[in-house]
Amino acid sequence: MVRPTLHLHPARQPVEPRPAATLLWLRPTAAGPEVLLTRRSPTASFLPGVFVFPGGRIDDEDARAHDLVHGREGSAAAQLTAALAALRESFEELGVLHARHSDGRPLAAAELAAIRRDRPLYPQLRERGLRLAATEVRSLARWTTDRDIGPRRFSTAFLIARMPEGQTPVADGAEQFEPVWLRAELALQRHQQGSLPLIFPTLRTLQWLARFDDIDTVLQACAGGQPLWDSCPRGALVGGKPQRYMESDLPFGELELVCPDGQLEHTLDWQFERPVQLLRHLWRLTAPNAGVMTGPGTNSYIVGSAAGGFVVIDPGPPDHEHVARLFEATGGNIRAILCTHSHPDHSPGARPLAELCVQRTGRPPPILGLRSAPTARAHSLFVPDRELGDGERVLLDDPEHPVTLRAVHTPGHAANHLCLVVEEDGLLFSGDHILNGSTTIIDPPDGNMAAYLDALDRLTAACGSHDIRFILPAHGHVMGSAAEIIARLKAHRLAREAKVIAAMRHKPDGGPDDWVPLAYADTPKGLWPMAKRSLLAHVERIQALGLASERPQGRAAPSPSPEGVQEEWQSHISLRNGDPQLSDKNLPQHVIDAFWQRWGNNNFMRAQGLEVDVVGVGEAVVRLPQVMATQRGGGGSDTVLNGGVIAYMFDGALGCAIASSLLARPEMRGIDPQRLRQSTINLDISYVDAASGDHFEARGKVVRASRNIAFAEGELLDAQGRICATAKGIWRIFWPRDEAATQP
């Protein structure tokens, strides 16, 4: 965690948000669904004159009105309260009432006309024996007002429902005006033209809605009972004007680092004339080398202070003006120049910067890094003054804010790649190993996919041991949620590798030019030449593991589709070990064999709805069924995984047993990822292995999670109850087909 004294802006406590609810009413048209928007009063104290979805504050009376819900059995109390508030506000503001009789009959027009909008709604419903159709309202999202806004903030449940037939919205003329039905894309167009003022949550929600062609599909996307996203946006200045960003946007992590309390102070414009200060001891100076491969340019980082001296990380290309700016920003007080690797946009500026220091100050700062390997291309040759050992520390002795930079060797993108961790503040300088907005190219022979994936595992371990929260890449803005970013990156790489395997199997006599269009069908053709380089790295790893030639019995080759090869091979389970004390070689061979026989036993795994191929020690491939569903109260069916992928990463061979136990338990079948955020789930399984006759018990627990990731730990016990080994790792839920439908 960043030391609080290093933040640029004074700490402040944002206003506590009040609970609220808003409702997207949908109606069908031949051109697609329309959504109801209404304009707030121009004299309103909050958001005057903007178009919104109807809704308002959640009152105490809403929580006491659950008796007025038709078919409420099994529904979550918080969801019902929000739905009641949204339905009540919709009636008060627009005269729209979604209600039924106790026998399920909809409200008649004459009955609606008799209910007065100027009187409390709930007593009138009780008098008439009516019930609100709150269970027909789906949860879409949750938006919390930005931290920099006051004096009022709201945590608003965004709900969605089909408009009751035969009703026409009529604004109350006090809070709401001008109700209008618009298709989402038309609303966005009018906003762009300046005739429909919208706030950020409404805008992003409409962008999500514009992807759908019919109401049934929209409502099905919201059938899970939980918000598809939960966002508290952050603001920044772009071109001198405020812009808002949500968690999935590329700059969000940087705003989280620089303005943790939501201050609207940080400028995001890319420029290379002056350093951008991120913390009191940290600056970023971007080189003027923007392009397809470099994005906005190569980031050079300056760490330290005038009192303790500075370290420059990745001085960039041999651009004399950029080097001069680095010198001026540090006053020449540079104690070391660190290069994450030797590619021509990272290390060539090191020698000119060191020479400039000698000319101006007489002190030559050492150039540190790793010597380029024999596999490096001619433009990437590099010899540092001294090589940094793995785990070696570089110290800046600032009396107020000392800095310890720890080197982590991370080959993969380049054979001599390393990352740097600021141990005191949980910051990771990732070089080109992790980028913001794209995946790095792995270009053999100097690039190696197996080494790259193993290095991601090392960085995951470093996130735990050094509490790393933020990643500072060589290209793009700072990223937050470091451990989850790394997990998603590895899942993405393995999912891509699954496509490469399928392409190789579909065209076994083909070559890279035949496989790229299949494996990278979702990538613009203009990028295929670069994709081909990473494909070659995947092919090297696939061939080394023998994946391309193996196929489980009874499974036909996947057929190509217009979008590319179908994803037969959904994900890899990596069980490679990073701790010598937990490695396979420390376990008896018959135990290792028993693990892998059990993990690869299709009869056992089919009972869990899975098929698994063991492809080597520490490596397996798993396929999931297309749909895993669970029945909920009220007769609904929530699709929890729809063509998704569950992947695990555990240390040691016992990971297969623990992963088996995780998935074998009934609790994991159709589990709602939201539940994992709220509780610890204990899992255990005992069995006698058919191959060896040995009794094992594998037990574990999920200790923390988000929608896409859960951290798990477990241990393996023998027949006497002795712990054979322990493991910690990551349980990932990867949603390749759903992701576009669940992010705005």
Side-chain angles (χ1 to χ4, degrees):
M1 180 180 293
V2 174
R3 289 168 283 183
T5 55
L6 291 174
H7 288 300
L8 301 177
H9 309 290
R12 69 178 187 185
Q13 184 64 38
V15 176
E16 187 68 22
R18 306 174 184 180
T22 192
L23 184 52
L24 282 72
W25 287 117
L26 302 180
R27 74 176 185 183
T29 72
E34 289 184 336
V35 63
L36 180 61
L37 290 160
T38 180
R39 183 171 64 85
R40 289 181 57 81
S41 169
T43 60
S45 60
F46 186 75
L47 303 176
V50 304
F51 280 82
V52 297
F53 309 117
R57 287 183 54 182
I58 296 176
D59 296 333
D60 292 341
E61 63 185 272
D62 300 314
R64 295 192 293 266
H66 288 195
D67 61 301
L68 291 174
V69 177
H70 177 73
R72 68 181 183 274
E73 294 79 9
S75 299
Q79 164 74 8
L80 288 182
T81 300
L84 285 166
L87 291 169
R88 173 183 54 77
E89 288 281 348
S90 183
F91 175 71
E92 294 171 357
E93 296 175 350
L94 299 172
V96 175
L97 186 59
H98 196 10
R100 297 185 181 277
H101 291 271
S102 58
D103 60 4
R105 286 181 294 115
L107 183 70
E111 294 172 308
L112 175 60
I115 301 175
R116 297 182 56 175
R117 294 165 62 180
D118 60 347
R119 291 176 51 191
L121 174 63
Y122 296 146
Q124 297 184 76
L125 296 178
R126 290 188 176 98
E127 290 172 4
R128 292 166 171 79
L130 296 173
R131 299 290 183 266
L132 288 171
T135 57
E136 298 175 36
V137 175
R138 302 285 179 89
S139 177
L140 169 58
R142 177 168 295 279
W143 288 97
T144 301
T145 311
D146 311 28
R147 296 164 181 83
D148 65 303
I149 293 178
R152 295 181 182 178
R153 296 177 66 223
F154 293 93
S155 177
T156 305
F158 274 54
L159 309 173
I160 194 164
R162 193 185 300 269
M163 179 72 176
E165 293 185 7
Q167 298 192 31
T168 301
V170 178
D172 60 5
E175 294 186 49
Q176 301 294 343
F177 299 81
E178 303 175 31
V180 58
W181 287 99
L182 292 171
R183 287 183 293 109
E185 57 267 32
L186 181 57
L188 294 169
Q189 180 181 342
R190 288 182 53 180
H191 172 73
Q192 187 70 24
Q193 295 168 346
S195 62
L196 193 77
L198 302 170
I199 59 173
F200 182 75
T202 308
L203 179 68
R204 295 300 290 266
T205 303
L206 286 170
Q207 290 173 349
W208 174 85
L209 183 60
R211 303 171 184 175
F212 296 91
D213 296 325
D214 61 85
I215 295 177
D216 288 340
T217 308
V218 175
L219 296 179
Q220 180 59 38
C222 302
Q226 297 292 337
L228 298 183
W229 65 90
D230 187 342
S231 178
C232 180
R234 293 179 178 271
L237 299 173
V238 179
K241 298 180 180 180
Q243 296 282 349
R244 302 290 171 181
Y245 299 92
M246 62 183 299
E247 289 77 357
S248 58
D249 294 330
L250 299 182
F252 189 88
E254 182 159 320
L255 301 177
E256 195 175 19
L257 172 68
V258 180
C259 304
D261 296 325
Q263 299 93 331
L264 188 61
E265 301 282 351
H266 190 56
T267 298
L268 288 175
D269 301 278
W270 288 107
Q271 50 81 25
F272 50 83
E273 293 86 2
R274 59 192 178 278
V276 175
Q277 190 167 15
L278 303 173
L279 295 169
R280 293 194 182 278
H281 68 340
L282 174 61
W283 295 259
R284 178 184 64 220
L285 180 62
T286 303
N289 63 336
V292 175
M293 298 294 293
T294 56
T298 301
N299 294 329
S300 299
Y301 291 100
I302 301 169
V303 184
S305 66
F310 297 93
V311 164
V312 173
I313 300 172
D314 281 342
D319 182 287
H320 294 297
E321 292 184 356
H322 179 68
V323 168
R325 293 186 188 103
L326 289 171
F327 179 86
E328 293 166 3
T330 60
N333 186 13
I334 299 176
R335 303 301 173 88
I337 302 171
L338 306 181
C339 297
T340 61
H341 62 297
S342 57
H343 285 173
D345 60 323
H346 288 258
S347 64
R351 195 63 61 188
L353 180 58
E355 292 172 354
L356 187 58
C357 289
V358 172
Q359 295 172 12
R360 302 282 185 90
T361 68
R363 298 191 303 270
I367 299 172
L368 308 179
L370 293 177
R371 179 189 298 264
S372 54
T375 51
R377 301 186 188 277
H379 58 51
S380 297
L381 300 180
F382 173 71
V383 179
D385 294 333
R386 183 172 65 80
E387 290 201 316
L388 275 175
D390 187 30
E392 183 177 345
R393 292 173 170 83
V394 177
L395 307 179
L396 287 175
D397 191 18
D398 184 316
E400 186 176 0
H401 303 298
V403 174
T404 305
L405 284 160
R406 179 176 178 267
V408 181
H409 288 189
T410 53
H413 173 66
N416 66 336
H417 197 287
L418 59 82
C419 295
L420 297 156
V421 176
V422 180
E423 293 186 336
E424 293 87 350
D425 300 305
L427 304 176
L428 171 66
F429 295 95
S430 64
D432 277 358
H433 205 80
I434 302 171
L435 307 178
N436 190 350
S438 64
T439 52
T440 195
I441 298 295
I442 311 298
D443 186 14
D446 202 49
N448 182 279
M449 188 61 71
Y452 178 82
L453 294 173
D454 287 344
L456 286 178
D457 293 345
R458 298 199 68 205
L459 293 179
T460 296
C463 286
S465 58
H466 296 291
D467 194 22
I468 295 173
R469 304 290 181 87
F470 296 97
I471 299 173
L472 293 90
H475 305 278
H477 291 292
V478 177
M479 294 177 282
S481 304
E484 185 166 349
I485 288 288
I486 296 171
R488 289 174 62 86
L489 177 57
K490 183 169 183 180
H492 171 78
R493 284 291 191 183
L494 294 175
R496 180 69 68 189
E497 186 162 285
K499 292 183 177 182
V500 176
I501 292 171
M504 295 172 69
R505 291 182 171 181
H506 181 67
K507 291 191 174 182
D509 297 326
D513 291 333
D514 303 299
W515 300 329
V516 166
L518 299 175
Y520 288 87
D522 57 346
T523 303
K525 289 185 179 181
L527 299 178
W528 284 1
M530 289 180 285
K532 179 180 175 180
R533 291 151 63 183
S534 287
L535 178 137
L536 291 171
H538 279 298
V539 169
E540 281 187 353
R541 183 174 184 272
I542 290 165
Q543 291 176 336
L545 294 172
L547 290 175
S549 60
E550 294 186 11
R551 179 179 307 285
Q553 293 182 356
R555 293 199 47 107
S559 302
S561 67
E563 293 77 24
V565 173
Q566 295 176 357
E567 296 181 32
E568 176 193 5
W569 299 92
Q570 295 284 356
S571 183
H572 287 72
I573 295 177
S574 177
L575 307 174
R576 296 198 180 279
N577 173 44
D579 185 340
Q581 295 182 350
L582 303 179
S583 65
D584 294 338
K585 63 185 179 183
N586 291 315
L587 295 174
Q589 186 61 45
H590 76 277
V591 175
I592 297 173
D593 294 341
F595 288 162
W596 287 111
Q597 177 152 350
R598 177 174 178 77
W599 186 244
N601 186 326
N602 281 344
N603 291 330
F604 170 79
M605 298 309 292
R606 282 196 188 97
Q608 318 309 323
L610 297 176
E611 291 186 9
V612 174
D613 287 335
V614 176
V615 297
V617 174
E619 200 81 18
V621 181
V622 63
R623 292 178 301 279
L624 272 79
Q626 290 299 302
V627 177
M628 296 173 66
T630 181
Q631 295 296 319
R632 304 281 185 184
S637 177
D638 293 344
T639 300
V640 178
L641 292 178
N642 187 1
V645 175
I646 293 180
Y648 302 89
M649 183 184 69
F650 283 94
D651 288 331
L654 77 150
C656 60
I658 296 173
S660 296
S661 72
L662 287 172
L663 204 59
R665 297 297 296 168
E667 297 97 309
M668 302 304 291
R669 298 305 304 270
I671 193 168
D672 189 330
Q674 183 71 16
R675 178 186 162 198
L676 295 178
R677 298 182 184 175
Q678 302 167 350
S679 62
T680 295
I681 300 175
N682 295 302
L683 309 159
D684 63 85
I685 185 171
S686 298
Y687 60 91
V688 176
D689 188 81
S692 64
D694 291 331
H695 177 275
F696 299 104
E697 181 179 352
R699 63 192 184 193
K701 64 179 179 179
V702 179
V703 294
R704 184 162 62 91
S706 66
R707 181 177 185 275
N708 292 92
I709 186 171
F711 292 86
E713 59 186 21
E715 57 194 14
L716 183 78
L717 290 78
D718 62 15
Q720 287 72 44
R722 297 173 299 192
I723 296 176
C724 299
T726 61
K728 293 183 179 181
I730 296 174
W731 172 48
R732 298 191 204 85
I733 307 176
F734 183 50
W735 311 75
R737 294 180 177 85
D738 284 345
E739 193 156 9
T742 58
Q743 293 293 330

